[in-house]
Amino acid sequence: MTSWIGRTAALAALGLALAPSGAAAQLPPAAELVPAGFKVEVDQNLGGSRIIKATKPNENYPKPHMDYGIELNIMAMPMPMGVEQMLEMALAGPEEPAARTPGSATQTEPCGKERYQGGVLICQKSITPWIGSGKAPDVMTWDVSWQGKGPNGLVTAGITRFYGSREAAVGVLDAIIPRLKAGK
């Protein structure tokens, strides 16, 4: 399974190759982008591209399953041209097929790809059954990513391992997307 992070890294390499030297990814400070409750783990400027990673525990995660927490990833990369073509390619490409995570009972399934807020929203859900003594509910988590046009090129935001509804997962991104599109 290729994660949105892997796809975005490939786009970043292309963006860096196309970017004029000295171009800076214009994003607000991480503290202004990351929603309340998230802890910023990484905030790096990679010579034009910028990566922010933040984490927080899930709320109401079922016991006795282990909560690995929600991971939020934000990336901006200078790309003076071709963003719209990249978005069209993301929209036109196939969704990740349903699969079982190697070494795990977790099953992943695609749950949609669509035009959203001037970009592309991609969703995948994971279902982890309880295996062990006693009883526990199956856990469904969401990996949702958005990519679109920012002030200097391609911007992306994605969350992984979100426990709750798909709508709530998208809601986390809804709070970030307008700031990504506007930049500083």
Side-chain angles (χ1 to χ4, degrees):
M1 171 178 79
T2 304
S3 70
W4 80 272
I5 297 168
R7 290 188 300 270
T8 302
L11 291 175
L14 177 60
L16 289 173
L18 296 175
S21 61
Q26 298 295 314
L27 288 181
E32 293 177 21
L33 278 174
V34 174
F38 280 88
K39 178 183 175 197
V40 175
E41 304 283 338
V42 175
D43 185 359
Q44 289 185 306
N45 184 334
L46 302 172
S49 290
R50 179 137 171 245
I51 297 174
I52 298 169
K53 176 183 169 185
T55 58
K56 87 173 219 176
N58 275 293
E59 296 176 17
N60 303 315
Y61 203 80
K63 302 292 181 204
H65 287 276
M66 181 173 202
D67 178 18
Y68 292 99
I70 304 166
E71 185 174 296
L72 168 67
N73 291 282
I74 299 169
M75 182 183 288
M77 59 198 94
M79 186 180 276
M81 61 181 88
V83 172
E84 195 56 43
Q85 291 88 345
M86 297 299 277
L87 297 176
E88 289 302 322
M89 287 172 37
L91 194 58
E95 288 188 82
E96 294 290 329
R100 184 162 312 280
T101 303
S104 168
T106 300
Q107 176 75 28
T108 59
E109 301 173 3
C111 56
K113 184 177 1 177
E114 62 187 276
R115 275 276 183 194
Y116 189 78
Q117 291 198 30
V120 176
L121 185 76
I122 300 172
C123 175
Q124 191 168 38
K125 67 181 174 182
S126 297
I127 303 155
T128 304
W130 173 246
I131 298 173
S133 62
K135 290 189 176 197
D138 291 352
V139 174
M140 185 180 313
T141 59
W142 304 92
D143 295 353
V144 183
S145 67
W146 176 88
Q147 50 190 299
K149 184 166 179 47
N152 290 343
L154 186 67
V155 289
T156 65
I159 57 171
T160 58
R161 299 184 305 269
F162 183 92
Y163 177 75
S165 69
R166 180 185 191 274
E167 294 76 19
V170 172
V172 172
L173 298 181
D174 284 342
I176 301 167
I177 293 169
R179 292 178 263 171
L180 286 176
K181 291 177 9 179
K184 285 187 179 179

